[in-house]
Every structure is written in C-alpha cells, then in structure tokens.
Amino acid sequence: MPPTPTDREPPPLRGCLVTGTDTGVGKTIVAAAIAAALRADGVRVAACKPVVTGVDEPDPSGAPADHELLAACTGQTPGDVTAATFGAAVSPHLAAADAGTPLDPDALLQNARAVAATADVLVAEGVGGLLVPLTPQWSVCDYAAALGLPLVVVARPGLGTINHTCLTVTVARAAGLRVRGIVLNPWPPAPTAMERDNARTIAALTGVRVWTLAQVVGLTPDALAAAAAAWPIGDWIA
Ligand SMILES: Nc1ncnc2c1ncn2[C@@H]1O[C@H](COP(=O)(O)OP(=O)(O)OP(=O)(O)O)[C@@H](O)[C@H]1O
Ligand SMILES: [Mg+2]
C-alpha cells in the first residue's frame, strides 16, 4: 500500500549544519560566510540556529549576536533565524530549565523545516559542540541527525585541535552523520609548522578535506562571502 501523507518521512533538507569542536571556535562566522557566498551567487538561502544563549552578555569585541549576523547574510530577520533566545551564556538545556520553558525537540525540528521551506538551501548553526544538550536527553547531534543535514566542522588551528576535531568527527559518524568539510579558524597569516601539520594530520586521520578561514575584517556580508570564495560549498550542501 502506498504511504499516506502522514506516513511519509519529511523531505530531505538541502544544506548543511555548521558545528564546532567547542563554543567560540567560529561557527557563526563560517555559517555566515557560507550563507553570504551562496546569496552572492543568487541562491535562495536561509539560516537557522535552534537556540541562541547569552543574548544578555554581548560579545566584548562588539560582534553581533549569532542570529543577527546570520540574518544580515541571508536577508531574514533575526527572529526568523531562531525561535529561542536566552539571556545567560549557559548550555541550552540549563538556560531553558532556568527560564521554566524546556525546549521541545519536535518544535525545534518543525521550526528548522519551516525556515528551510522559505529557501532552496538551509544553513544551520549548532550550539557549542555536537554533544551539547538541547534538552537533558537530546543533543545538537540528535538535532543534526533528525534533520539529515551534513556537517561542516569548525576547529581551532593550534595545539589540541587534532584530538578535538577527530573526537567530533568520530561522534558525528557514530550517529550516521556525514562530515563534508573541516574549517580551521582563525587561520593565522603566518601559520607555524605545527598548525600546517595539524591541517594535514586532521585530513589524513579523518579522510575529510581541511579548509581555513583567516581573520575577516568588518564582518559584512561582502567580506564574509569573499572569505568563503575558495570553499567547495556546492559539495558541502549536496
Ligand atoms: N575568522 C574570523 N574573523 C573575524 N572574527 C572572528 C573570526 N572567527 C571568529 N571570530 C570572532 O570570534 C568570536 C567567536 O566566533 P563565533 O561567534 O563565530 O564562534 P561560535 O563558535 O559561533 O561561538 P558560539 O558557540 O557562541 O556560537 C566572535 O567575536 C567572532 O566575531
Ligand atoms: Mg555562534
């Protein structure tokens, strides 16, 4: 018997989810650069982030909040990018519990699919790293797996990154996720021998191509799109 509409799996999403080896590694910058580059190429792109925490603790550098920068690169409003913001810079499961509004996985997935339906490509940003809990039992990794989005992993260039990046790729693959690219950020103008070796070693150990992102001045959509020019974004979102 053919499946009825209610039996059907939701259609696969086209896009990627940008995760990282830690908080503060550059997920927003990389996701914004991917989105800005796609938009500059005339692609209808939308961004989403399931939860933004720390909105009461602005970035000391003056950088915009995640949903604001992503929105600036896609033409959405910040409120279109995320449906859940919390003031404290703590894990989403704790921020939501403290606010008395626990997060609902189904609602987060429905929101991502609704955002995706407004465009041809969805660029999602995770929260912290892959095993960060959105609810006590449901992680960013579960969110990515439920959406079926391939991953781009952002990692630091320096000491410790081989371990953190390989751990992230191992966890992703154990959950059945595809890792399409790794971006080392911020890539210094004169990388040390160790940083260059980190890039080569991560590629060899994971089998994933490693790319870099240098410091972007200005964080405008044009500057971010230009910074992403060398990346094979078409392969990452397929
Ligand atoms: N390549 C870069 N060029 C300019 N600024 C950068 C770059 N990479 C990171 N930053 C700055 O470093 C800080 C952390 O980067 P970002 O916000 O992208 O990290 P994140 O992984 O998204 O963090 P979070 O876990 O809070 O979402 C921000 O102030 C950002 O503007
Ligand atoms: Mg971010």
Side-chain angles (χ1 to χ4, degrees), residues 28 49 66 125:
T28 303
K49 171 147 177 149
D66 294 17
E125 182 189 343

Side-chain angles (χ1 to χ4, degrees), residues 19-37:
T19 187
T21 53
D22 196 2
T23 184
V25 289
K27 294 182 299 294
T28 303
I29 301 294
V30 169
I34 293 171

Side-chain angles (χ1 to χ4, degrees), residues 26-179:
K27 294 182 299 294
T28 303
I29 301 294
V30 169
I34 293 171
L38 287 167
R39 193 163 187 233
D41 272 353
V43 177
R44 289 192 325 139
V45 57
C48 77
K49 171 147 177 149
V51 184
V52 178
T53 60
V55 293
D56 292 347
E57 300 176 34
D59 193 301
S61 73
D66 294 17
H67 51 318
E68 291 167 357
L69 184 61
L70 292 169
C73 292
T74 61
Q76 297 163 278
T77 67
D80 292 335
V81 172
T82 190
T85 60
F86 296 99
V90 298
S91 174
H93 79 290
L94 177 60
D98 284 350
T101 53
L103 295 160
D104 172 19
D106 287 337
L108 294 176
L109 294 173
Q110 222 168 36
N111 186 62
R113 293 194 181 102
V115 173
T118 66
D120 295 326
V121 175
L122 178 70
V123 178
E125 182 189 343
V127 188
L130 263 191
L131 293 183
V132 161
L134 298 174
T135 77
Q137 285 85 32
W138 199 71
S139 67
V140 172
C141 188
D142 296 322
Y143 175 83
L147 293 174
L149 289 170
L151 300 182
V152 173
V153 175
V154 185
R156 297 192 173 94
L159 189 63
T161 199
I162 295 174
N163 178 53
H164 294 150
T165 308
C166 291
L167 283 172
T168 298
V169 171
T170 300
V171 165
R173 287 180 173 156
L177 295 169
R178 298 156 291 167
V179 181

